Amino acid sequence: MKFYLNFTTGYGQFYLNDKGEGDTGSTNFWSDEAFNDKLAVEKGILGISLENSEGIVKCELEILNEKSLISDFNNFDHVVEASLEIETGLLQVNDCPFSILILEENIEIGNYRVRVYFNNLKTAYSENPEDFYKIEMWKDVFSERVVLKRFQD
Protein backbone atom coordinates (compact mmCIF):
# COMPACT_ATOMS: atom_id res chain seq x y z
CA MET A 1 0.00 0.00 0.00
CA LYS A 2 1.32 3.40 -0.95
CA PHE A 3 -0.04 6.79 0.05
CA TYR A 4 0.96 10.26 -1.15
CA LEU A 5 0.41 12.87 1.52
CA ASN A 6 0.49 16.65 1.19
CA PHE A 7 -0.53 18.66 4.24
CA THR A 8 0.62 21.35 6.64
CA THR A 9 1.72 20.96 10.22
CA GLY A 10 3.22 23.05 12.99
CA TYR A 11 6.23 22.99 15.27
CA GLY A 12 8.37 21.31 12.62
CA GLN A 13 6.96 17.82 13.13
CA PHE A 14 4.23 15.33 12.32
CA TYR A 15 3.29 11.99 13.80
CA LEU A 16 3.00 8.37 12.72
CA ASN A 17 1.17 6.47 15.41
CA ASP A 18 -1.02 3.64 16.62
CA LYS A 19 -4.57 5.05 16.93
CA GLY A 20 -4.86 7.18 20.05
CA GLU A 21 -1.40 6.22 21.32
CA GLY A 22 1.72 8.14 22.22
CA ASP A 23 2.87 10.71 24.73
CA THR A 24 4.39 13.54 22.71
CA GLY A 25 4.76 15.58 25.91
CA SER A 26 7.20 13.09 27.40
CA THR A 27 10.59 14.61 28.24
CA ASN A 28 12.18 11.74 26.34
CA PHE A 29 10.16 12.26 23.15
CA TRP A 30 12.07 15.19 21.62
CA SER A 31 15.33 14.60 23.46
CA ASP A 32 18.56 16.08 22.10
CA GLU A 33 19.32 12.72 20.49
CA ALA A 34 15.85 12.56 18.89
CA PHE A 35 16.22 16.12 17.63
CA ASN A 36 19.64 15.35 16.10
CA ASP A 37 18.36 12.07 14.62
CA LYS A 38 15.23 13.83 13.24
CA LEU A 39 12.98 11.12 14.74
CA ALA A 40 11.32 11.04 18.15
CA VAL A 41 10.23 7.69 19.58
CA GLU A 42 7.74 6.84 22.29
CA LYS A 43 5.47 3.84 22.83
CA GLY A 44 2.93 3.83 20.01
CA ILE A 45 4.16 6.99 18.27
CA LEU A 46 6.97 8.38 16.13
CA GLY A 47 7.59 12.10 15.66
CA ILE A 48 9.09 12.93 12.28
CA SER A 49 11.08 16.15 12.12
CA LEU A 50 10.16 18.54 9.31
CA GLU A 51 12.97 20.65 7.91
CA ASN A 52 11.12 23.54 6.27
CA SER A 53 9.76 26.37 8.41
CA GLU A 54 6.54 26.67 6.39
CA GLY A 55 5.08 23.46 7.83
CA ILE A 56 4.64 21.98 4.35
CA VAL A 57 4.72 18.17 4.35
CA LYS A 58 5.23 16.34 1.07
CA CYS A 59 5.40 12.69 1.96
CA GLU A 60 5.13 9.20 0.55
CA LEU A 61 4.17 6.41 2.96
CA GLU A 62 4.49 2.81 1.88
CA ILE A 63 3.57 -0.27 3.89
CA LEU A 64 5.72 -3.13 2.64
CA ASN A 65 5.21 -6.89 2.85
CA GLU A 66 8.89 -7.42 3.65
CA LYS A 67 11.99 -5.47 4.65
CA SER A 68 12.89 -2.54 2.41
CA LEU A 69 15.15 -3.40 -0.49
CA ILE A 70 16.79 0.04 -0.46
CA SER A 71 20.36 -0.30 0.78
CA ASP A 72 22.08 2.50 -1.14
CA PHE A 73 21.35 5.82 0.57
CA ASN A 74 23.31 8.07 -1.82
CA ASN A 75 20.10 9.59 -3.20
CA PHE A 76 18.93 10.65 0.26
CA ASP A 77 20.12 13.38 2.64
CA HIS A 78 19.25 11.63 5.90
CA VAL A 79 17.90 8.16 6.72
CA VAL A 80 16.72 7.02 10.13
CA GLU A 81 14.62 4.12 11.37
CA ALA A 82 12.91 2.95 14.54
CA SER A 83 10.25 0.52 15.64
CA LEU A 84 6.57 1.24 16.12
CA GLU A 85 4.17 -1.16 17.80
CA ILE A 86 0.63 -1.22 16.42
CA GLU A 87 -1.81 -2.67 18.99
CA THR A 88 -5.13 -1.34 17.64
CA GLY A 89 -4.72 -2.32 13.99
CA LEU A 90 -5.10 1.32 12.97
CA LEU A 91 -2.12 3.31 11.74
CA GLN A 92 -2.52 7.08 11.78
CA VAL A 93 -0.68 10.08 10.40
CA ASN A 94 -1.44 13.26 12.38
CA ASP A 95 -0.33 16.87 12.25
CA CYS A 96 1.03 18.84 15.17
CA PRO A 97 -0.20 20.41 17.42
CA PHE A 98 -3.88 19.76 16.71
CA SER A 99 -3.62 16.04 15.93
CA ILE A 100 -5.68 16.54 12.79
CA LEU A 101 -6.05 13.13 11.21
CA ILE A 102 -4.29 13.07 7.83
CA LEU A 103 -4.52 9.32 7.22
CA GLU A 104 -5.95 6.31 9.02
CA GLU A 105 -5.32 2.83 7.62
CA ASN A 106 -6.11 -0.68 8.85
CA ILE A 107 -2.93 -2.74 9.17
CA GLU A 108 -1.98 -5.95 10.95
CA ILE A 109 -1.31 -5.73 14.67
CA GLY A 110 2.37 -6.14 15.54
CA ASN A 111 5.79 -4.52 15.57
CA TYR A 112 6.87 -2.55 12.53
CA ARG A 113 10.19 -1.14 11.46
CA VAL A 114 9.73 2.38 10.13
CA ARG A 115 12.39 3.95 7.92
CA VAL A 116 12.25 7.64 7.06
CA TYR A 117 14.21 9.01 4.09
CA PHE A 118 14.72 12.78 3.99
CA ASN A 119 15.34 14.43 0.60
CA ASN A 120 16.20 17.94 -0.62
CA LEU A 121 16.88 19.26 2.87
CA LYS A 122 19.13 22.04 1.56
CA THR A 123 16.10 23.58 -0.19
CA ALA A 124 14.00 23.61 2.99
CA TYR A 125 14.65 27.27 3.76
CA SER A 126 14.36 28.56 0.21
CA GLU A 127 11.35 30.49 -1.05
CA ASN A 128 9.91 27.27 -2.49
CA PRO A 129 10.96 24.43 -0.18
CA GLU A 130 11.26 21.07 -1.90
CA ASP A 131 12.09 18.87 1.06
CA PHE A 132 10.43 15.47 0.74
CA TYR A 133 9.87 12.60 3.16
CA LYS A 134 9.62 8.97 2.13
CA ILE A 135 8.45 6.56 4.82
CA GLU A 136 8.59 2.79 4.51
CA MET A 137 7.36 0.36 7.12
CA TRP A 138 7.32 -3.42 7.40
CA LYS A 139 6.67 -6.00 10.10
CA ASP A 140 9.85 -6.76 12.04
CA VAL A 141 11.14 -7.42 15.54
CA PHE A 142 11.37 -4.43 17.85
CA SER A 143 14.72 -2.61 17.88
CA GLU A 144 16.05 0.81 18.84
CA ARG A 145 16.28 3.93 16.68
CA VAL A 146 19.30 4.00 14.38
CA VAL A 147 20.55 6.62 11.92
CA LEU A 148 21.60 4.94 8.67
CA LYS A 149 22.80 8.18 7.04
CA ARG A 150 23.24 11.53 8.79
CA PHE A 151 22.56 14.85 7.05
CA GLN A 152 25.63 17.07 6.78
CA ASP A 153 24.49 20.64 6.16
Side-chain angles (χ1 to χ4, degrees), residues 5 7-15 30 34-35 37-40 47-59 95-96 116 118-119 121 124-125 129-133:
L5 308 172
F7 61 98
T8 57
T9 190
Y11 299 99
Q13 62 190 293
F14 64 99
Y15 307 126
W30 280 113
F35 182 75
D37 293 349
K38 302 185 182 303
L39 186 68
I48 299 165
S49 178
L50 182 66
E51 196 71 19
N52 74 72
S53 58
E54 303 295 320
I56 300 167
V57 179
K58 294 176 186 170
C59 177
D95 87 323
C96 175
V116 185
F118 297 72
N119 259 343
L121 295 185
Y125 295 99
E130 295 179 12
D131 48 320
F132 183 80
Y133 306 84

Side-chain angles (χ1 to χ4, degrees), residues 82-141:
S83 290
L84 176 65
E85 184 178 7
I86 301 294
E87 294 179 339
T88 66
L90 288 170
L91 173 71
Q92 293 184 329
V93 175
N94 288 284
D95 87 323
C96 175
F98 304 111
S99 294
I100 294 172
L101 184 62
I102 306 302
L103 173 75
E104 184 172 84
E105 186 65 29
N106 288 304
I107 64 172
E108 285 185 43
I109 292 171
N111 285 316
Y112 287 82
R113 196 66 180 162
V114 177
R115 184 179 292 166
V116 185
Y117 305 86
F118 297 72
N119 259 343
N120 301 322
L121 295 185
K122 290 184 180 176
T123 72
Y125 295 99
S126 65
E127 187 174 321
N128 296 305
E130 295 179 12
D131 48 320
F132 183 80
Y133 306 84
K134 175 181 176 65
I135 303 169
E136 292 179 323
M137 58 187 294
W138 61 90
K139 289 190 89 171
D140 206 343
V141 297

